[in-house]
Amino acid sequence: MGILFPGESAQYRIARDRLLEREVELRRLSEAVAAARRDLPPGGAVPQDYVFQGAGPDGSTADVRLSELFAPGKDSLVIYSFMFPRALDEDLPCPSCTQFLDTFDGAAGHVAQRVNFAVAAKAPMPRILAHASQRGWRRLRLLSSAGNTYNRDYHGENPGGSQMPILNVFRRDGERIR
């Protein structure tokens, strides 16, 4: 490939070039899978306009419908299901989900330039907001799904009621959400 690092052996260069070829092959396969994903037919229509609890402008709890999560000009909505509470027998947020959201809080503004993004958890909204404040989250759109079946319907909750981390993408097609 013409690239050499100081002190590398011929054996290393041969192995490294072979690995690079496999990495290029993996990239092509990944791009083919992404194209196949984009070519999927529309998914099933969302069965109801789920009502979540969100934070109102003054910090109070307010109802927010799934359809209201779509900003004008943005027809894609990404919802991350945050495991909070992590399990039925505890009232704690998942540490892995928390770490992910700590990182994602910084990127949320950039993501929101392209798609609508929200985080839904089964915990009551005051608990979610208290956790967000403790973590310093300022950019995430947080929702409580405690009063609806969204988590169960979209696999953010297993049949036993334990929460599962999942990221779902919805697309608005006129008045229909899929």
Side-chain angles (χ1 to χ4, degrees), residues 18-177:
R18 232 179 311 168
L19 179 61
L20 181 58
E21 289 171 8
R22 293 185 75 196
E23 289 172 337
V24 169
E25 180 183 327
L26 177 61
R27 176 64 185 181
R28 285 187 186 124
L29 181 59
S30 178
E31 288 174 3
V33 168
R37 184 181 301 116
R38 287 188 298 272
D39 289 341
L40 281 171
V46 175
Q48 61 179 291
D49 197 5
Y50 294 96
V51 178
F52 297 90
Q53 292 289 304
D58 62 355
S60 64
T61 301
D63 287 348
V64 181
R65 295 188 167 281
L66 180 75
S67 60
E68 296 170 337
L69 297 173
F70 289 88
K74 290 188 219 166
D75 292 332
S76 294
L77 168 63
V78 177
I79 300 180
Y80 177 73
S81 291
F82 173 27
M83 294 172 56
F84 185 15
R86 178 171 54 179
L88 292 174
D89 59 349
E90 61 182 65
D91 192 28
L92 300 172
C94 169
S96 294
C97 292
T98 296
Q99 180 275 328
F100 171 75
L101 293 172
D102 281 348
T103 303
F104 207 79
D105 182 64
H110 300 287
V111 171
Q113 291 175 6
R114 298 247 183 220
V115 298
N116 301 289
F117 180 79
V119 175
K122 193 77 172 200
M125 197 64 203
R127 293 269 298 128
I128 296 169
L129 292 175
H131 184 65
S133 177
Q134 180 185 25
R135 302 303 298 186
W137 298 342
R138 298 184 323 269
R139 296 171 192 89
L140 296 172
R141 181 154 198 189
L142 302 168
L143 305 168
S144 172
S145 58
N148 65 40
T149 60
Y150 171 81
N151 286 33
R152 186 171 359 112
D153 295 347
Y154 285 95
H155 306 285
E157 183 176 307
N158 71 22
S162 292
Q163 302 305 292
M164 306 293 292
I166 192 164
L167 185 124
N168 286 293
V169 179
F170 298 91
R171 185 117 176 112
R172 184 177 52 198
D173 178 17
E175 293 299 312
R176 192 177 330 190
I177 300 172

